[in-house]
């Protein structure tokens, strides 16, 4: 069985109209869930948020804007730096808008992480045990 893939990065978080500030992003990939990536954002030892992302979508987000729901990704250039802009939409606010956070990640680091996940499970060779999947859904039901 292929092993888990992990990478921790310092990323830049921008919430609302604030300036960017550094937080840690812990990326992980488990071949047992081959289509998903997990990212946990933390600061000062506290977990700020945990998101599960589509692996293919993250790869596409390095090249072009993707996403129309709660997660939107797109490449951005800041001079010499190429970044992945990750926008996360949360619950509604009293003013009718939604909570929003934007995270900027060095694109080369994300690409390297994706290459590591592709070494664990090549794109197109992902397998899901349907019986286990259905049992999990039924247990949650």
């Amino acid at each position: 069985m292929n092993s888990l893939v992990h990478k921790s990065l310092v990323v830049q978080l921008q919430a609302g109209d604030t300036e960017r500030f550094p937080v840690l992003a812990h990326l992980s990939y488990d071949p047992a869930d081959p289509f998903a990536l997990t990212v946990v954002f933390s600061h000062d030892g506290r977990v700020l948020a945990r998101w599960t992302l589509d692996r293919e979508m993250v790869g596409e987000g390095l090249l072009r804007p993707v996403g129309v729901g709660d997660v939107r990704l797109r490449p951005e250039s800041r001079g010499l730096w190429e970044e992945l802009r990750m926008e996360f939409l949360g619950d509604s606010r009293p003013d009718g808008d939604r909570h929003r956070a934007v995270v900027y990640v060095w694109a080369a680091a994300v690409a390297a992480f994706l290459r590591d996940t592709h070494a664990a499970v090549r794109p197109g060779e992902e397998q899901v045990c349907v019986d286990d999947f259905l049992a999990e859904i039924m247990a949650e039901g």
Side-chain angles (χ1 to χ4, degrees):
M1 182 63 156
N2 295 319
S3 61
L4 300 175
V5 179
H6 296 281
K7 187 175 207 77
S8 293
L9 306 168
V10 175
V11 301
Q12 299 290 315
L13 170 66
Q14 184 176 28
D17 295 328
T18 65
E19 293 293 319
R20 292 181 181 193
F21 66 92
V23 299
L24 284 175
H26 307 280
L27 300 144
S28 62
Y29 177 75
D30 183 350
D33 190 2
F35 296 101
L37 305 176
T38 300
V39 60
V40 176
F41 298 102
S42 65
H43 183 68
D44 286 338
R46 290 182 338 139
V47 171
L48 303 174
R50 177 185 315 265
W51 287 82
T52 300
L53 306 174
D54 178 271
R55 179 171 77 158
E56 184 177 346
M57 181 180 170
V58 172
E60 289 180 23
L62 290 168
L63 305 173
R64 64 178 179 80
V66 294
V68 293
D70 294 342
V71 178
R72 300 170 187 175
L73 311 173
R74 72 173 189 235
E76 274 198 12
S77 181
R78 287 180 50 102
L80 299 175
W81 295 98
E82 296 296 323
E83 296 177 320
L84 174 62
R85 181 185 190 274
M86 307 170 78
E87 181 177 8
F88 300 95
L89 299 174
D91 296 333
S92 296
R93 299 186 323 209
D95 65 5
D97 205 357
R98 293 177 70 185
H99 291 281
R100 180 176 68 91
V102 179
V103 175
Y104 297 89
V105 186
W106 186 36
V110 174
F113 174 74
L114 286 174
R115 281 192 301 275
D116 291 345
T117 72
H118 294 162
V121 178
R122 293 174 49 122
E125 295 182 4
E126 301 92 346
Q127 294 181 2
V128 176
C129 181
V130 176
D131 291 336
D132 292 345
F133 175 71
L134 291 174
E136 184 178 325
I137 290 174
M138 298 301 288
E140 293 175 4

